[in-house]
Amino acid sequence: MELYNLKHPSQVVSFTQAVKLGLGKDRGLFFPKVIPELQDVDSLLALPFVERSKKVIGAWLASELGQDTVDRLVERAFNFELPLVKADTNLYSLELFHGPTLAFKDFGARFMAQCLNELAKSEKINILTATSGDTGAAVADAFYGLDNINVVVLYPKGKISVLQEKMFTTLGDNIHTVAVESDFDACQSLVKQSFEDLDIRDGLHLNSANSINISRLLAQICYYFEAVAQFKQHNEGEPVIAVPSGNFGNLTAGLFAKAMGLPVKRFVAATNSNDTVPRYLDSGDWQPEVTVATMSNAMDVAEPSNWPRVEAIVEAMDWSLADIIGLGVSEADTAESVKALNSAGYLSEPHAAIAALALKQTMSADEKGIFLATAHPAKFNEVVEDILNIDLALPEPLAQVVPKKILSAELPADFGLLKQHLFKVLAD
Ligand SMILES: *Cc1c(COP(=O)(O)O)cnc(C)c1O
């Protein structure tokens, strides 16, 4: 698979290089030179998830890695369920939260971990990433126990829930966590400084494992095929799919699936009040505002990093941006949507509820829709309990971590101290 840098098209790399590098020159995103088209999609849809995913990912990677390797990576990464559940009239929920950390980020993080593990072989790989909650847990869990890979996760001390914190700071082994005495922006800026530091770059070979890594997107394409496969067992026609969006990696993967031949009527890009994209789709003006904090905090992104890829797919396929419907949902409407779904018998959380509402507001009466449920309701238990006035039980993966001890180091937001710490835990 060949990819080029969207900012510098003359920079062309293999999948292996793109996974290791993350970003290209000038922080440009890597984009595939060719989007493979699948033959006989109907027969593919009849296959079980893991078998189908081997073919979907194989269409991109078999020529570079060999189909046997692709099969092994897929089998190791995708080892949990993803049911399509009827949620309301004409509405289905694709539940992507049955993985080890109860968020859809498990798909991308687990596949990326398997790819790096395969590519690392004898090389040592060090991953440095910052998290405000979800990503850290998915990344830490996905890389836990893999040979030759060390992970350092920075997070803002006291700014995430104890439950969230325990999901990734209690593992130990090759997972090193650092509670930084500051906010998330400070953590991100420490990560950035580390990548720019020559001693660290030459001495520690860092990789960022963040959401722009192309391996994550390939993994996410697979669940769109599963959504349509399960939808077809109950319905005629093509579904409208609504994606609760932050950095827009999820929507990018959906558009890749459609470009590969998956029958999807259209996509709805649903955001919270951080609605740069819906406003852009309406007006043609790209006007990011200051990020605001919402209940759906995994989508609190004002400048979505994957957006250039969305535009590149639309251009490559000769589609129109006007075919993507954008909708920003307010906090009050998010809460109303959680309530409405609950009245229909479906327990959700703010991210999924935003996507569900976006379908209700934009579908015609003869259409049917699928919204992506990106997190388990219990991961946002405080908000959900508050909106619905109920008590939620903790599911097993969350309950398990409660008695465990937090193993994090604590540091002030000081680059010199972080640098010392990185060399201490990562150098041989
Ligand atoms: C990350 C995340 C999103 C946003 O996904 P993007 O690919 O960044 O658009 C939505 N919901 C949840 C629960 C998330 O963790």
Side-chain angles (χ1 to χ4, degrees), residues 21-226:
L21 288 170
L23 285 167
K25 219 169 93 187
D26 284 340
R27 305 187 61 76
L29 297 167
F30 289 118
F31 191 81
K33 274 192 147 176
V34 178
I35 302 176
E37 218 184 308
L38 293 168
Q39 303 303 315
D40 200 4
V41 172
D42 279 342
S43 328
L44 265 184
L45 289 175
L47 293 176
F49 176 62
V50 172
E51 293 314 306
R52 180 191 323 109
S53 299
K54 290 174 183 174
K55 295 189 191 284
V56 169
I57 293 185
W60 300 87
L61 298 185
S63 60
E64 183 173 330
L65 304 180
Q67 186 65 46
D68 287 352
T69 303
V70 171
D71 291 356
R72 194 170 62 242
L73 300 179
V74 168
E75 274 166 22
R76 289 186 182 160
F78 298 163
N79 57 355
F80 48 91
E81 300 294 303
L82 59 164
L84 185 75
V85 177
K86 181 107 203 251
D88 205 339
T89 316
N90 291 340
L91 281 194
Y92 293 83
S93 166
L94 183 69
E95 295 189 343
L96 298 172
F97 54 71
H98 296 285
T101 75
L102 306 178
F104 86 106
K105 291 202 166 68
D106 285 325
F107 282 93
R110 288 180 65 79
F111 187 70
M112 177 175 179
Q114 292 304 327
C115 286
L116 276 174
N117 187 42
E118 178 74 27
L119 307 176
K121 297 258 164 68
S122 52
E123 248 171 279
K124 232 181 136 123
I125 291 183
N126 291 317
I127 303 218
L128 175 66
T129 189
T131 186
S132 53
D134 266 9
T135 318
V139 167
D141 190 274
F143 285 92
Y144 177 58
L146 294 183
D147 286 343
N148 282 330
I149 302 186
N150 273 298
V151 178
V152 178
V153 186
L154 309 186
Y155 64 99
K157 186 181 167 193
K159 301 258 162 48
I160 64 177
S161 77
V162 173
L163 205 55
Q164 267 186 328
E165 186 175 11
K166 288 206 166 181
M167 284 204 81
F168 65 98
T169 61
T170 58
L171 294 163
D173 192 18
N174 61 331
I175 309 299
H176 310 277
T177 52
V178 181
V180 177
E181 288 155 5
S182 188
D183 56 14
F184 177 60
D185 287 331
C187 296
Q188 272 198 308
S189 126
L190 286 170
V191 167
K192 201 162 163 244
Q193 267 179 290
S194 306
F195 277 92
E196 284 162 2
D197 186 272
L198 290 180
D199 300 333
I200 293 181
R201 202 158 72 191
D202 297 342
L204 297 176
H205 306 288
L206 290 186
N207 183 299
S208 74
N210 64 16
S211 73
I212 46 76
N213 198 288
I214 191 71
S215 58
R216 289 188 169 211
L217 297 183
L218 296 190
Q220 292 178 247
I221 293 170
C222 298
Y223 56 65
Y224 285 93
F225 278 84
E226 181 64 13

Side-chain angles (χ1 to χ4, degrees), residues 10 76 115 179 189 207 215-216 265 269 279 287 318 371 407:
S10 61
R76 289 186 182 160
C115 286
S189 126
N207 183 299
S215 58
R216 289 188 169 211
K265 193 158 182 193
R279 284 185 291 109
Q287 297 282 2
D318 228 348
F371 62 89
L407 302 171

Side-chain angles (χ1 to χ4, degrees), residues 228-395:
V228 174
Q230 290 189 41
F231 179 84
K232 273 182 168 296
Q233 290 168 7
H234 309 285
N235 299 284
E236 303 281 319
E238 298 181 355
V240 180
I241 299 185
V243 186
S245 297
N247 263 323
F248 281 79
N250 209 352
L251 181 71
T252 303
L255 293 170
F256 273 136
K258 184 168 167 129
M260 293 178 82
L262 185 70
V264 176
K265 193 158 182 193
R266 67 175 177 277
F267 285 96
V268 182
T271 70
N272 57 32
S273 335
N274 297 286
D275 58 352
T276 307
V277 166
R279 284 185 291 109
Y280 170 69
L281 291 173
D282 278 347
S283 69
D285 289 330
W286 186 260
Q287 297 282 2
E289 286 167 2
V290 177
T291 311
V292 293
T294 72
M295 290 186 277
S296 50
N297 58 27
M299 289 155 55
D300 291 349
V301 182
E303 300 196 52
S305 50
N306 272 298
W307 188 256
R309 284 182 169 139
V310 170
E311 299 221 347
I313 298 174
V314 168
E315 194 184 304
M317 299 305 294
D318 228 348
W319 294 339
S320 161
L321 271 184
D323 298 335
I324 302 173
I325 309 298
L327 193 78
V329 175
S330 71
E331 290 291 90
D333 287 348
T334 303
E336 283 311 312
S337 180
V338 171
K339 281 188 199 159
L341 287 167
N342 191 55
S343 305
Y346 188 73
L347 181 66
S348 67
E349 51 72 46
H351 304 78
I354 282 176
L357 184 68
L359 285 177
K360 285 187 186 168
Q361 294 196 346
T362 60
M363 280 188 337
S364 60
D366 61 344
E367 290 180 322
K368 291 193 169 68
I370 297 172
F371 62 89
L372 302 189
T374 45
H376 195 293
K379 275 200 106 161
F380 293 88
N381 54 355
E382 283 167 22
V383 194
V384 175
E385 288 177 346
D386 213 38
I387 294 172
L388 296 177
N389 220 343
I390 54 168
D391 280 324
L392 287 181
L394 280 190

